[in-house]
Amino acid sequence: MLDFENACSISSHRAHFSQANAVLFHSRNINSKEISSFPFPRRQEIPYVMVAYESPYNAKLETYKDFFNWTMSYRIDSDVFAPYGGLLRNSELVKVNYAKIWRSKTKGTLWLVSNNNVNNKRKKIVEKLIENGMKVDLYGKVYNREPDNCPRDGAQEGCDERFQSPYKFVIAFENSNCKDYVTEKFWRKAEQYKMVPIVMSRKIYKDLGIPDNMYIAVDDFKTLKEFVEFIENLTSNEKEYMKYHKWREEFRIAEANQEIFGFCDLCQKLMDFQNRTIPKKSYSSLIAWHNEENCDNSFVDRYL
């Protein structure tokens, strides 16, 4: 509901339905059967919004012919752009303490992974990198290994940062390689722990306008051996390594729903909608908009 100060509030109480300026549904918690038995009469004057934070493999979207007016997801072409994080340009260049960052980086590469039920063979790629001589510290449910003194449950405050921040690089492979799909494993590692993310495919990040020198992409290299050699040289070269932190002078990272993203974007659009600056529309098929054709996991095969 929009209050009198042009801010927004979010409610899950059914009693507020008649006052709502938009109705949101989460793709993984709804289906066509539940939509057809929706207990409230359709309000034609407000947008119905489908929220889809997962990749097409896990979003569980259906057709929902002409039921939804807006989409809200990490996709740039969503009606409401709701990424897991994003870059905002600083008003002026920020002074970065490069020497402090370098002194803090006493370890090489980390991979912290808990899900092996994925579509892009990321575990096989990492194991191939290790076969080619890359040193990777493996943690997470997949490897049945937790950091000392920092268990997943019941960890002491700050231990996660103490564990991750010393690493120069982090393997930030997503569970699938899909259009615009970049999650918190990229943004949070770069911002909070000041690590350089290692990703699979440059195109996904380039399409989002993320600076090339913020990350290292495996598919820039003809072979995994070349990639491993590059990382080895970078690990011990302060001057070259710090080039991957240069972006911090010009940009800052905003997490999900901060500043212009997510619910902040939705709030602004609802105000515009009340002023009728956004035309009304509906989606004839959401699954046609968000499906596996927007993903490409095949490129990894050339390395295996």
Side-chain angles (χ1 to χ4, degrees):
M1 297 174 290
L2 297 180
D3 66 22
F4 294 108
E5 296 179 354
N6 283 336
C8 296
S9 60
I10 304 168
S11 174
S12 59
H13 297 292
R14 294 190 173 194
H16 293 153
F17 176 77
S18 62
Q19 305 167 257
N21 297 91
V23 182
L24 277 65
F25 299 78
H26 186 243
S27 64
R28 287 172 60 89
N29 300 111
I30 198 74
N31 57 46
S32 295
K33 184 178 180 180
E34 292 169 318
I35 289 290
S36 64
S37 59
F38 191 58
F40 300 101
R42 175 61 188 257
R43 293 183 55 196
Q44 300 293 337
E45 74 278 16
I46 63 173
Y48 279 34
V49 185
M50 174 57 83
V51 180
Y53 291 134
E54 300 286 346
S55 76
Y57 296 102
N58 300 308
K60 298 185 178 180
L61 279 177
E62 300 179 26
T63 299
Y64 305 117
K65 182 173 175 57
D66 295 321
F67 186 82
F68 289 99
N69 307 104
W70 293 356
T71 54
M72 179 174 174
S73 87
Y74 60 84
R75 290 261 302 267
I76 289 180
D77 58 354
S78 300
D79 298 286
V80 178
F81 185 38
Y84 288 83
L87 289 176
L88 296 175
R89 192 176 295 276
N90 296 321
S91 57
E92 57 184 26
L93 291 180
V94 171
K95 187 175 181 179
V96 177
N97 191 335
Y98 293 108
K100 182 179 179 181
I101 294 176
W102 178 255
R103 286 195 304 269
S104 71
K105 299 301 176 183
T106 59
K107 298 182 179 180
T109 303
L110 171 69
W111 193 32
L112 188 60
V113 57
S114 297
N115 181 15
N116 197 33
N117 184 23
V118 299
N119 299 282
N120 61 2
K121 303 178 184 177
R122 64 184 180 185
K123 186 170 182 286
K124 289 185 177 180
I125 285 285
V126 173
E127 289 171 350
K128 279 287 186 181
L129 288 172
I130 293 172
E131 285 180 20
N132 279 274
M134 186 168 174
K135 296 177 181 178
V136 182
D137 288 350
L138 305 171
Y139 288 91
K141 191 175 180 180
V142 168
Y143 292 100
N144 194 29
R145 186 186 182 198
E146 289 188 337
D148 293 339
N149 304 316
C150 197
R152 188 178 181 89
D153 298 318
Q156 294 181 352
E157 184 177 355
C159 78
D160 195 51
E161 184 162 354
R162 289 193 297 272
F163 165 63
Q164 298 197 51
S165 292
Y167 284 94
K168 293 183 176 76
F169 307 99
V170 61
I171 293 177
F173 294 170
E174 303 294 350
N175 58 35
S176 47
N177 304 314
C178 302
K179 175 181 172 62
D180 302 338
Y181 188 55
V182 179
T183 69
E184 75 284 346
K185 65 172 56 68
F186 178 91
W187 297 111
R188 187 171 298 163
K189 307 294 186 184
E191 170 65 14
Q192 186 173 350
Y193 308 128
K194 292 183 171 56
M195 305 156 92
V196 177
I198 293 172
V199 305
M200 281 192 173
S201 177
R202 181 168 297 276
K203 183 180 186 307
I204 294 171
Y205 300 81
K206 201 173 188 68
D207 287 349
L208 285 170
I210 299 173
D212 290 340
N213 65 349
M214 186 176 173
Y215 59 93
I216 301 169
V218 173
D219 71 343
D220 283 342
F221 299 83
K222 292 182 179 180
T223 67
L224 294 184
K225 184 176 178 60
E226 287 183 10
F227 173 81
V228 172
E229 290 174 352
F230 179 82
I231 294 296
E232 285 181 349
N233 292 331
L234 201 58
T235 298
S236 57
N237 190 322
E238 178 181 358
K239 181 180 178 181
E240 291 301 313
Y241 173 77
M242 295 316 302
K243 288 180 180 179
Y244 287 90
H245 293 273
K246 184 76 173 175
W247 62 270
R248 300 182 190 279
E249 296 182 5
E250 190 174 355
F251 298 98
R252 68 187 188 279
I253 292 176
E255 294 187 358
N257 300 311
Q258 290 183 350
E259 304 204 39
I260 63 172
F261 300 130
F263 281 97
C264 296
D265 186 28
L266 175 62
C267 183
Q268 181 61 57
K269 283 185 168 58
L270 287 175
M271 286 188 257
D272 293 341
F273 185 76
Q274 283 195 328
N275 296 325
R276 294 295 183 266
T277 59
I278 298 178
K280 188 174 181 180
K281 67 173 184 178
S282 64
Y283 283 83
S284 60
S285 174
L286 281 179
I287 190 62
W289 174 75
H290 193 61
N291 59 50
E292 295 173 16
E293 291 183 3
N294 293 300
C295 306
D296 181 10
N297 297 310
S298 64
F299 86 92
V300 300
D301 292 336
R302 74 174 186 257
Y303 294 113
L304 300 179

